[in-house]
Amino acid sequence: MSEENLYTFENKDYRKTYWHTCSHVLAQAVKRLYPEVKLAIGPSIDNGFYYDFDAPFNFTQEHMDALEAEMRKICKEKLKLERFELPREEAIRFMEEKEEPYKVELINDLPIDAVISFYRQGEFVDLCAGPHLDSTGRIKGNAIKLTQCCGAYWRGDSNRKMLQRIYAVAFPKKDELDEYLKQREEALKRDHNKLGRDLEYFTTVDSIGQGLPILLPKGARVVQLLQRWVEDVEQKAGYLLTKTPLMAKRDLYKISGHWDHYLDGMFILGDPYDETKECFAMRPMTCPFQYQVYLNRQRSYRDLPMRLGETSTLFRNEDSGEMHGLIRVRQFTISEGHLVLRPDQLEEEFKGCLELAKYFLGTVGMLDKCTFRFSQWDPANPNNKYEGTAEQWEEAQRVMGQILDDLDVKYEIGIDEAAFYGPKLDIQYHNVYGKEDTLVTIQIDMLLAQRFGMYYIDENGEKALPYIIHRTSLGCYERTLAYLIEEYAGALPTWMAPEQVRFLPVTDRAADYCADAAKALEAQGFRVEVDYRNEKIGKKIRDAQMEKVPYMVVVGDRDMENGTVSPRHRADGDLGAMSMADFTAMLHEVVDTKAKK
């Protein structure tokens, strides 16, 4: 990056530093106006920043307006940000004197050898690792906007206190903020969490639980269509379909390493610490189950690659504060697969996985907005979350890096983003608010085969260990549905729309004609409804438009006399009278080619 762009929002690191400093300005404003409020945490995020507060009152719009004004004042004061460190006991005492219990807890939870640093700006001091801008004067006060206040459990734990989280965003220029707010207004119209409910794709019920959405008939139909399509394409690509249990004893997860590395993320049935009794866990991933297919009998080098695919329902105990519509849930279904292969087959099979993922994402219209991340381990990770030796990781990452370069994949590197058993390529996507999530992942695993004894007999008659690729092709179907709703503002392409055609009889006399025409289309596999309501045709058309139905077929007396139909497209409008044969042929062209209309 050029020198002149180092201190602009084109530099991701500078942007995060700017927003992180803004979070401190927000916290300082809160403490100035409402000193009784306790501070929790305030990081930068993908699309701005937030700060969590424990306040004896609920923040209202009036509070938010006052805080914005105070933040502008702090920026004008041009307060210098100064970093200093304290020994653990002194740091604890320092925050106890300030009556900041959440900061005390954070300090107590730091590793014993951690450097405990603080940042001071004027009268305000906050526990923070940094980095920060050198002065609040670097921030454009009139380009700050507090966008939302909502509840957030302390440390994402539903058993802890509910705090108030204030979200905000800031830019170096006022016109950049104005453009962002304009885009945000459009995002609100596309937000799947609202639009998906309004269009009756899904719902949630308090008595069922957070992160456990119910797919209504429309949403269930779209997911079914995607699943069948993926399974059919994967079968043609040489994948063998499996169907494995939704749970297993802890013994399986101990072999795979998930028990040691992922226990907090699993739903446990029984006491995980009582070895005298059986204990089960709902599966958070499918790999140790699919390995049993490979292990069913002795394998030869001639059997490889073995490509195993499954439409898998998984369960992950996500933090309650992370739940969001269909994008982050606790039960979800994924297009999961595992390829067991010889080392000499790795690049070709990895390429096949990537091409398959790009085909699916391209066909549904999402690939152009995807980015790629080479997720690597962090040898300095304090939680020691990785299996294997440094040499094994360096070799796995060297091989994967070479493959990505050979395939000309443009990627960013994500340190400490790898799976515990190997590096991965994550295909990333942003929701309408700019929040990034992983859609598809392709992982290289050189470790788990040995744990499971997954040997094959090589061409010399010797036992050899295979490599494994963990991959998805369209990722999590619930998340994909959410992004499709946002991408198309609810107007899904005809080939995947839950309802493709709606007949609108102008009079009662046309009802039977519409019913016969609808049956003819249904017999060819189209999804069709007839609006028999005793309403004016204008209302029927408006309702169909509001429900994003791709084709509305208006049928009146003239159509009955001429044996025609008069279709309308939700975007293109009136298409004119045509024969049913011509209309059917047009539908086949749109659906069979998976056109994006």
Side-chain angles (χ1 to χ4, degrees):
M1 181 173 292
S2 65
E3 183 70 26
E4 63 182 15
N5 289 331
L6 280 176
Y7 301 103
T8 71
F9 268 32
E10 291 183 24
N11 182 346
K12 185 177 180 180
D13 291 335
Y14 177 79
R15 186 168 67 243
K16 285 189 169 296
T17 299
Y18 190 100
W19 283 338
H20 193 183
T21 306
C22 287
S23 76
H24 280 223
V25 173
L26 170 58
Q28 183 176 14
V30 168
K31 293 299 287 187
R32 279 187 177 183
L33 299 181
Y34 316 107
E36 70 275 21
V37 172
K38 306 303 179 188
L39 304 177
I41 57 172
S44 63
I45 53 178
D46 289 341
N47 56 345
F49 59 97
Y50 70 77
Y51 212 108
D52 289 348
F53 301 100
D54 185 358
F57 57 85
N58 291 326
F59 285 106
T60 65
Q61 188 57 52
E62 186 177 348
H63 291 112
M64 303 274 268
D65 293 342
L67 288 170
E68 281 185 10
E70 190 63 31
M71 291 177 73
R72 289 193 290 271
K73 180 180 175 183
I74 293 169
C75 293
K76 288 181 180 179
E77 291 173 11
K78 299 181 179 180
L79 302 175
K80 184 178 180 182
L81 277 90
E82 300 173 301
R83 183 181 188 276
F84 64 93
E85 300 173 4
L86 291 176
R88 178 180 295 271
E89 294 304 319
E90 193 174 336
I92 292 173
R93 189 163 56 251
F94 181 63
M95 279 298 162
E96 285 177 340
E97 290 171 356
K98 288 185 171 293
E99 298 182 349
E100 297 290 356
Y102 298 100
K103 302 296 182 181
V104 172
E105 180 179 326
L106 291 172
I107 295 171
N108 280 322
D109 287 349
L110 289 172
I112 195 67
D113 57 347
V115 174
I116 303 173
S117 60
F118 298 82
Y119 278 82
R120 176 183 286 112
Q121 56 197 59
E123 82 288 354
F124 177 76
V125 178
D126 202 356
L127 172 73
C128 188
H132 285 286
L133 304 178
D134 60 351
S135 168
T136 62
R138 301 282 186 187
I139 301 169
K140 191 75 170 178
N142 68 348
I144 297 173
K145 182 65 179 177
L146 306 187
T147 56
Q148 182 187 12
C149 182
C150 62
Y153 289 111
W154 170 232
R155 308 189 89 164
D157 185 347
S158 60
N159 296 315
R160 307 292 296 274
K161 186 167 185 178
M162 176 72 79
L163 307 179
Q164 294 183 76
R165 175 171 296 176
I166 296 179
Y167 284 98
V169 73
F171 292 90
K173 297 178 182 178
K174 177 66 162 57
D175 59 354
E176 293 175 339
L177 174 64
D178 293 340
E179 179 61 25
Y180 169 83
L181 295 176
K182 182 179 178 181
Q183 293 174 355
R184 181 180 171 82
E185 187 176 341
E186 176 63 24
L188 286 170
K189 298 175 184 177
R190 291 174 172 263
D191 184 351
H192 87 279
N193 208 13
K194 180 180 186 303
L195 188 56
R197 295 172 193 270
D198 291 345
L199 292 175
E200 297 188 346
Y201 277 92
F202 77 99
T203 188
T204 51
V205 180
D206 288 344
S207 59
I208 290 178
Q210 192 178 17
L212 298 170
I214 294 174
L215 292 184
L216 298 173
K218 286 183 181 180
R221 180 65 70 200
V222 175
V223 168
Q224 181 194 54
L225 290 164
L226 295 174
Q227 288 177 357
R228 288 176 171 174
W229 171 49
V230 169
E231 288 180 355
D232 288 347
V233 172
E234 288 184 344
Q235 181 176 333
K236 292 176 182 176
Y239 281 77
L240 303 174
L241 185 66
T242 68
K243 188 172 178 60
T244 55
L246 299 180
M247 67 180 79
K249 295 192 295 185
R250 71 180 138 212
D251 308 57
L252 182 72
Y253 303 114
K254 284 189 173 183
I255 296 171
S256 68
H258 290 103
W259 199 257
D260 295 327
H261 295 279
Y262 207 77
L263 182 61
D264 291 342
M266 291 195 284
F267 289 102
I268 308 299
L269 306 176
D271 186 346
Y273 306 108
D274 186 350
E275 297 289 343
T276 66
K277 296 180 181 178
E278 275 194 332
C279 178
F280 289 78
M282 306 300 289
R283 65 179 184 187
M285 60 284 295
T286 315
C287 43
F289 296 83
Q290 282 198 323
Y291 294 166
Q292 308 310 310
V293 176
Y294 177 89
L295 290 165
N296 187 53
R297 60 177 171 82
Q298 179 66 63
R299 304 293 175 179
S300 161
Y301 71 97
R302 294 188 180 91
D303 296 323
L304 306 182
M306 176 181 281
R307 306 182 188 100
L308 303 174
E310 182 166 338
T311 301
S312 303
T313 298
L314 305 179
F315 306 85
R316 295 184 183 175
N317 191 11
E318 300 278 6
D319 290 338
S320 59
E322 294 295 319
M323 299 297 105
H324 177 61
L326 296 177
I327 289 178
R328 191 166 292 277
V329 292
R330 287 175 169 154
Q331 176 183 312
F332 55 94
T333 305
I334 194 167
S335 56
E336 194 157 20
H338 296 88
L339 292 80
V340 188
L341 44 103
R342 303 191 307 266
D344 63 283
Q345 298 170 325
L346 181 58
E347 181 161 352
E348 188 64 25
E349 292 302 313
F350 190 98
K351 178 182 178 182
C353 293
L354 180 56
E355 288 178 343
L356 202 58
K358 291 172 75 172
Y359 163 72
F360 285 122
L361 293 172
T363 303
V364 300
M366 298 170 67
L367 182 60
D368 289 345
K369 295 185 179 179
C370 289
T371 57
F372 297 84
R373 182 179 69 199
F374 181 6
S375 296
Q376 303 180 1
W377 83 317
D378 180 4
N381 185 285
N383 299 318
N384 190 28
K385 76 177 196 179
Y386 299 106
E387 292 279 324
T389 65
E391 291 75 19
Q392 288 173 313
W393 274 93
E394 288 167 5
E395 174 63 10
Q397 292 184 174
R398 183 195 66 77
V399 170
M400 186 167 178
Q402 185 63 56
I403 291 173
L404 294 176
D405 291 342
D406 289 346
L407 298 177
D408 197 29
V409 177
K410 308 301 180 187
Y411 57 82
E412 293 184 349
I413 291 177
I415 300 298
D416 202 23
E417 296 289 342
F420 71 82
Y421 47 76
K424 55 182 178 165
L425 176 68
D426 289 323
I427 302 179
Q428 304 293 105
Y429 199 84
H430 293 79
N431 70 8
V432 289
Y433 298 109
K435 172 71 169 62
E436 183 181 75
D437 280 298
T438 300
L439 260 181
V440 168
T441 186
I442 306 172
Q443 307 171 8
I444 293 179
D445 173 10
M446 299 182 178
L447 300 175
L448 292 189
Q450 185 169 18
R451 275 180 166 268
F452 282 88
M454 295 170 64
Y455 295 95
Y456 67 93
I457 304 302
D458 66 16
E459 59 269 35
N460 298 316
E462 302 292 331
K463 291 173 65 176
L465 282 169
Y467 287 169
I468 300 172
I469 294 177
H470 305 238
R471 50 102 270 177
T472 53
S473 52
L474 194 56
C476 168
Y477 288 104
E478 289 83 357
R479 182 174 292 178
T480 298
L481 174 59
Y483 282 139
L484 288 170
I485 291 171
E486 294 185 350
E487 173 66 23
Y488 293 103
L492 300 186
T494 304
W495 71 270
M496 70 171 82
E499 180 184 348
Q500 296 169 315
V501 181
R502 183 177 297 181
F503 281 90
L504 309 176
V506 176
T507 64
D508 289 342
R509 294 185 300 277
D512 289 342
Y513 184 92
C514 288
D516 291 341
K519 287 179 182 177
L521 288 180
E522 287 174 342
Q524 297 186 56
F526 295 108
R527 297 178 292 281
V528 189
E529 298 289 341
V530 180
D531 187 344
Y532 293 110
R533 296 178 302 162
N534 185 22
E535 297 283 359
K536 292 182 179 179
I537 193 63
K539 176 172 174 52
K540 291 183 178 182
I541 292 173
R542 285 194 299 274
D543 289 349
Q545 286 276 172
M546 291 293 292
E547 294 176 42
K548 314 292 186 181
V549 179
Y551 288 93
M552 297 146 275
V553 183
V554 178
V555 177
D557 290 342
R558 182 176 298 177
D559 291 302
M560 294 171 62
E561 293 169 5
N562 298 333
T564 60
V565 291
S566 299
R568 295 174 57 90
H569 186 263
R570 63 190 170 198
D572 300 336
D574 190 356
L575 302 179
M578 62 181 73
S579 68
M580 268 298 293
D582 287 344
F583 179 56
T584 303
M586 182 180 67
L587 282 177
H588 273 297
E589 174 68 18
V590 171
V591 172
D592 294 348
T593 62
K594 293 183 169 55
K596 298 179 179 65
K597 63 177 293 184

